[in-house]
Amino acid sequence: MAPMTVSPALTVGFDLDMTLIDSRPGIRACWAELSTRTGTYVDADLVVTRLGPPLEEEIGNWFPAGEIPAVAALYRELYPAFAVGGGLEMPGAREAVAAVQAVGGRAIVVTAKWEPNARLHMDHLDLRPDAVIGNLWAEQKARALREHGASVYVGDHIGDVLGARAAGALSVTVPTGPISAQELRTAGADVVLADLTEFPAWLAGHLGEADS
């Protein structure tokens, strides 16, 4: 039997932190270094329990508002040396991206992370999405999803559900980050998988339904 193929118009978007990668070890190290450099106490263990929203929101929990831009710039400067090497693939991440590309589709990353650092993570782990778009959070993600024609967006956070819904894309979620499966369902996720290891089978079924 010939392998199933679909139109190259199929585009699936993926969130990055706690969806494709477990960035907690590196981010913890980066925040610890930031705390040392600035002399400001930061509970890095707490920080990594609530990944997802933009960096500036987290910085605002520890630094005065007027310092946020400078601290964010320092954090991003430290990030390649302290955070990228600690990033790990989430279970099933490589296979999920490959499943989209294997049927002729495009797999893109749409993330709130600063885009240059998001690209460094992809290079470090040798993950090869077709595009990486950064600096977008929640409903802002819809801009990139619409631009690339994504019909599915996969994420772990309520912000990812909001982005998918704003783009008119199917919201597929995994409770591998700070948000529970029930919270994702309540937020309006169309699909909740246990983790990305279930994604290839889900995609095959989804494409089969579309062809029927």
Side-chain angles (χ1 to χ4, degrees), residues 143-165:
R143 184 164 73 244
L145 295 173
R146 287 193 298 263
E147 179 182 338
H148 287 267
S151 58
V152 176
Y153 185 56
V154 186
D156 69 285
H157 201 283
I158 290 171
D160 301 324
V161 178
L162 296 175
R165 292 176 68 85

Side-chain angles (χ1 to χ4, degrees), residues 154 172-176 181 191-196 198-200 202:
V154 186
V172 176
T173 57
V174 285
T176 49
V191 178
V192 180
L193 306 175
D195 58 33
L196 285 182
E198 296 184 354
F199 179 81
W202 173 84

Side-chain angles (χ1 to χ4, degrees), residues 157-159 161-162 165 171 173 175 179-192:
H157 201 283
I158 290 171
V161 178
L162 296 175
R165 292 176 68 85
S171 173
T173 57
I179 309 300
S180 71
Q182 185 55 52
E183 289 173 307
L184 292 168
R185 291 188 188 96
T186 300
D190 297 298
V191 178
V192 180

Side-chain angles (χ1 to χ4, degrees), residues 16 33 128 191 193 212:
L16 185 60
E33 180 65 17
R128 299 299 173 190
V191 178
L193 306 175
S212 61

Side-chain angles (χ1 to χ4, degrees), residues 15-34:
D15 175 52
L16 185 60
D17 289 320
M18 304 312 299
T19 300
L20 287 178
I21 68 170
D22 182 350
S23 51
R24 291 173 298 183
I27 287 178
R28 183 185 291 109
C30 194
W31 275 94
E33 180 65 17
L34 182 75

Side-chain angles (χ1 to χ4, degrees), residues 14 20 97 101 106-109 122 126-132:
F14 292 90
L20 287 178
V97 171
Q101 295 170 334
R106 300 178 70 246
I108 66 172
V109 172
M122 296 295 91
D126 196 31
L127 289 172
R128 299 299 173 190
D130 296 281
V132 177

